[in-house]
Amino acid sequence: MKRFNEKQLFAILLFVGMIFWGGSWPSSKILTQYTSTEVITFWRFFFALLTFVPIVFALKVPLRLTPSSLKYLLLASFSIHSILFSSSRACVLVLQEQEECL
């Protein structure tokens, strides 16, 4: 069995990541016909976590949260949540308004 060097492994993982990332958008669009966006978002991030953790352990990436990095992490997570929640709420409101016009 051939062992990959670090650059080859990185390229392979990037390719696999792009495949999954590219496939998540069309599948999300299809799944929104069957369930809410909140449920789809939860499962999307859950499966991303399941694939991310083994890669981090395989590459032996240290995960340390210092107090200074924690404030940036909280700021980023709040910003992402605000953007995603407001955009999904705006889409729902626009769709409800369109249904009232019909």
Side-chain angles (χ1 to χ4, degrees):
M1 185 168 158
K2 182 181 175 186
R3 298 260 319 156
F4 296 107
N5 66 26
E6 198 169 308
K7 286 184 179 183
Q8 290 172 328
L9 179 62
F10 185 70
I12 291 169
L13 291 175
L14 275 177
F15 181 74
V16 170
M18 286 189 302
I19 296 295
F20 279 107
W21 189 17
S24 71
W25 296 106
S27 63
S28 295
K29 187 170 178 90
I30 293 168
L31 288 173
T32 54
Q33 298 172 0
Y34 300 104
T35 187
S36 69
T37 55
E38 290 85 5
V39 172
I40 294 170
T41 303
F42 168 79
W43 285 113
R44 182 173 175 227
F45 283 106
F46 177 74
F47 287 124
L49 176 72
L50 288 180
T51 57
F52 179 71
V53 170
I55 292 170
V56 168
F57 283 121
L59 296 177
K60 298 181 177 135
V61 177
L63 293 176
R64 293 188 197 111
L65 286 178
T66 62
S68 63
S69 66
L70 187 60
K71 70 178 177 183
Y72 292 116
L73 177 67
L74 291 174
L75 177 66
S77 62
F78 177 75
S79 300
I80 290 172
H81 172 73
S82 299
I83 291 168
L84 292 176
F85 183 74
S86 64
S87 64
S88 67
R89 281 302 300 156
C91 289
V92 169
L93 293 174
V94 166
L95 289 173
Q96 287 174 349
E97 188 175 294
Q98 287 178 351
E99 287 177 1
E100 290 175 1
C101 293
L102 296 177

